[in-house]
Amino acid sequence: MNTTVLLTLLFAVIVQMQASGKQVLTPGGYRDENCVHQVPHGTYIYNDRSDDGVPVLFARYPNGTNIKYNSPCLMGTSIGVPYGWTAFTHWQSQKPITTYNGQWGVSNLPPSQDGQTLFLFTGLQNSFGEENLQQMATIIQPVLQYGPSAAGGGPFWAIASWLVTSSGHSVYSILEKVQPGGIIIGNMTKNQQGNWEITAYSTTNKKKSGIVVDTGSNEPYAFVTLEVYGVEKCNDFPTGSTVFNDLYIVSDKEEVPQWQKESQDQCEEAINIQSPKIVSVKW
């Protein structure tokens, strides 16, 4: 199956949504603006279903405030439109993953500014490809972002942690600005309660942004991803490469992922798998 088909299937088929009509960008495609929610750092997110089986998302803020996102927010566009996952690796674990950590650098700023958005992240999903047609798909991800998104942003790099689901709901922690040349640590670890603690952390300015998520499922699919939108020319990308290193995946033991790679050749962006622990993204 080719990359275009996989990206079209990723997260579900296009469905008609109850929508305000305005779409905003997440690292999982475009969503209705009423279905994208900012939460404070450390917020606990969990899924449940109503009596009629409709997925419902809940948030419990660190101060004890409880929020229910019960609107039937269905996805308006498929992930990967218009560019989406332009270069990525994927690997499926045969056992439930309990930890996925890694670190990567903050690149220089792109030479050109055309309102482009670049997402770089490690991610975990409960399904991938055709499986997304059979269940509610979720992706959890600590994200390094350049450009605008629903979380904010602009012509600078920033970090946040995200949950995106195929029901259309997205939740993100507050965006924190970081500087070129810095190092980002992305951490996804299941705690003793079985909830994912997802944190993006800058070792340079000590900024961090995270959420705690109970997805209600296992996430056996691991990714390293470059996702892009609004790129008009090659100078909209930084120069050089971004290296993801110290990639560390644990199930009941440390795993040795056999990464597979996919890419779409817009400019020269590509994935280079140097080892199970090192993956680089060439701009």
Side-chain angles (χ1 to χ4, degrees), residues 102-106 142-144 159 178 182-186 200-204:
Q103 64 179 37
W104 59 100
V106 183
V143 179
L144 174 65
I159 53 174
V178 297
I183 299 295
I184 305 305
I185 296 177
Y201 173 72
S202 168
T203 64
T204 307

Side-chain angles (χ1 to χ4, degrees), residues 120-223:
L120 284 160
F121 57 85
T122 53
L124 289 171
Q125 290 183 196
N126 66 331
S127 61
F128 182 54
E130 293 178 344
E131 290 185 4
N132 290 325
L133 300 177
Q134 303 169 12
Q135 61 180 305
M136 185 175 74
T138 61
I139 183 168
I140 53 176
Q141 50 199 149
V143 179
L144 174 65
Q145 167 188 319
Y146 176 88
S149 77
F156 54 84
W157 292 103
I159 53 174
S161 293
W162 288 76
L163 164 72
V164 183
T165 77
S166 60
S167 70
H169 280 289
S170 299
V171 178
Y172 62 91
S173 55
I174 295 171
L175 201 67
E176 297 284 358
K177 191 173 181 179
V178 297
Q179 298 297 323
I183 299 295
I184 305 305
I185 296 177
N187 177 26
M188 292 175 282
T189 299
K190 273 194 172 181
N191 60 25
Q192 292 182 347
Q193 291 73 41
N195 303 321
W196 286 104
E197 297 182 357
I198 309 157
T199 305
Y201 173 72
S202 168
T203 64
T204 307
N205 64 6
K206 311 305 181 185
K207 296 287 187 179
K208 65 179 178 180
S209 187
I211 52 179
V212 180
V213 178
D214 178 5
T215 61
S217 63
N218 292 318
E219 284 70 33
Y221 294 93
F223 300 88

Side-chain angles (χ1 to χ4, degrees), residues 9 38 42 61 87 98 104-105 117 120 142 156 169 181 184 189 191 219 237 243 278 282:
L9 290 172
Q38 184 189 79
Y61 291 180
T98 58
W104 59 100
T117 299
L120 284 160
F156 54 84
H169 280 289
I184 305 305
T189 299
N191 60 25
E219 284 70 33
F237 288 119
V243 179
I278 303 175
K282 181 180 181 299

